[in-house]
Amino acid sequence: MSTDVDLGSEPYEKNREAGEILQTVRAEAVDRIEVGESHLELAEYVEDHIRELGGEPAFPVNVCIDEEAAHGTPSIDDDATFGEEMINIDIGVHVDGWLADSAITVDLSGNDELVEASTEALEAAIEMVEPGIDTGVLGDVIGRTIEGYGYKPIVNLTGHGLGHWEQHTTPNIPNKKVPQGVELEVGDVVAIEPFATDGRGKVTEGNDEEIFALEREASVRNREARQALEHITEQFRTLPFATRWLDVSRAGMTLRRLKQRDIVHGYPVLKEEAGSLVSQKEHTVIVTEDGCEVTTR
Ligand code: MN
Ligand code: MN
């Protein structure tokens, strides 16, 4: 992006609007979380309120517990409730395809230091953001801050650029030092998201899959599949959606059918090793002439 980019233009205004909606619903989510509260009710409350405030969820509200790091969201008949656990809530909002992405950890397990580690790492990285900063330098400060607490950063999860109707674009923001990053430029919109863990520092794919996204356009003959595909193409485009968002009968089976034909792809839950804990903190920032503007706080 060139240096004469207009940070007051409509796309950035919509990024900011998405960020403001996100701040409101994130605070409400934090207030509602307590032992016994339903995962499904929390996710639906947040998603509904995003819509009432004039945005759309950019992806299903992620509810990840303990060793789960990303891509968990309640199923349509989910009866899980919160216990004395480490709870990561990741929320995305868009206004006309312009996005904000932010996550927070609510700790009911008595491990505040792990939450502090990801929080401090994010603050340290945000402090350093300015035009010309190398993303590898940001990764280094994130990794070192988390290690300073005696924990590990999750190195195979990264922050990312946010594009129009695109939740993950370049550049990646690593959570450890990398030899060659890229330089951020004025006008870049990026999500920075450190993950701290007492596990091995690397996630693997679990079996559960409740989040999907369109991979390619195609025509299908099956009635439910055709309805689902129309709904997906019109509402979500290539943004991620939840099985429970599809207003068709047998949504799970329909999605498996579309996945088999590579028309949609799934996002399996990403997990640390069993018995470990993960904390995450994420904000979206716009790179400005002399630093950055955090749209999600
Ligand atoms: Mn996120
Ligand atoms: Mn993100």
Side-chain angles (χ1 to χ4, degrees):
M1 222 168 267
S2 69
T3 47
D4 57 3
V5 54
D6 178 6
L7 295 178
S9 63
E10 202 182 355
Y12 292 106
E13 284 303 322
K14 288 182 174 175
N15 284 130
R16 292 181 184 103
E17 203 182 321
E20 274 172 33
I21 294 169
L22 204 155
Q23 291 173 44
T24 303
V25 298
R26 189 187 57 214
E28 290 170 342
V30 169
D31 276 351
R32 289 177 76 99
I33 289 174
E34 57 182 24
V35 172
E37 164 81 7
S38 145
H39 294 190
L40 181 61
E41 276 173 31
L42 179 86
E44 289 190 329
Y45 175 85
V46 171
E47 290 163 2
D48 287 345
H49 204 197
I50 289 170
R51 296 181 187 107
E52 283 161 22
L53 293 171
E56 286 289 332
F59 51 82
V61 170
N62 281 210
V63 177
C64 287
I65 306 296
D66 291 345
E67 75 266 25
E68 295 172 349
H71 302 165
T73 203
S75 62
I76 196 155
D77 54 0
D78 211 302
D79 59 3
T81 57
F82 297 113
E84 289 175 351
E85 300 156 329
M86 185 158 285
I87 300 146
N88 291 340
I89 302 293
D90 197 336
I91 303 173
V93 176
H94 78 84
V95 173
D96 297 333
W98 301 101
L99 294 117
D101 183 0
S102 174
I104 196 161
T105 296
V106 175
D107 177 44
L108 303 181
S109 73
N111 288 277
D112 333 348
E113 287 240 318
L114 187 59
V115 179
E116 237 176 87
S118 52
T119 304
E120 275 300 309
L122 177 59
E123 290 311 314
I126 288 173
E127 276 293 305
M128 294 180 73
V129 172
E130 60 181 7
I133 186 85
D134 188 287
T135 53
V137 174
L138 297 179
D140 188 30
V141 75
I142 288 171
R144 280 190 292 107
T145 304
I146 292 171
E147 283 159 8
Y149 279 85
Y151 296 115
K152 288 181 181 161
I154 297 182
V155 297
N156 59 342
L157 290 173
T158 68
H160 50 91
L162 293 166
H164 192 209
W165 291 100
E166 275 186 295
Q167 198 223 334
H168 283 119
T169 62
T170 53
N172 281 341
I173 314 290
N175 287 324
K176 62 161 184 181
K177 186 176 184 174
V178 295
Q180 178 82 62
V182 293
E183 288 184 5
L184 295 183
E185 295 175 21
V186 174
D188 283 349
V189 182
V190 294
I192 306 176
E193 49 183 309
F195 291 81
T197 183
D198 57 0
R200 71 198 142 200
K202 210 165 188 182
V203 289
T204 54
E205 293 185 352
N207 295 323
D208 295 342
E209 201 169 63
E210 284 291 335
I211 300 178
F212 295 86
L214 186 68
E215 178 72 36
R216 63 181 179 93
E217 299 206 23
S219 62
V220 288
R221 265 193 278 184
N222 172 272
R223 186 183 142 89
E224 280 96 7
R226 205 172 56 235
Q227 282 176 346
L229 207 47
E230 266 173 34
H231 185 180
I232 294 163
T233 313
E234 280 167 24
Q235 281 289 135
F236 319 132
R237 305 198 192 184
T238 57
L239 292 174
F241 60 90
T243 312
R244 61 187 158 78
W245 287 2
L246 285 186
D247 193 14
V248 297
S249 55
R250 295 179 293 178
M253 196 212 278
T254 302
L255 282 168
R256 279 195 294 280
R257 199 189 289 259
L258 292 173
K259 195 184 147 184
Q260 261 168 15
R261 289 188 51 196
D262 295 319
I263 298 169
V264 301
H265 62 271
Y267 294 86
V269 174
L270 299 176
K271 296 178 170 193
E272 260 291 341
E273 61 187 335
S276 65
L277 296 174
V278 174
S279 78
Q280 176 195 14
K281 189 85 190 271
E282 177 179 26
H283 275 306
T284 297
V285 309
I286 301 171
V287 181
T288 59
E289 290 290 348
D290 58 356
C292 71
E293 175 188 340
V294 183
T295 65
T296 49
R297 85 168 160 214

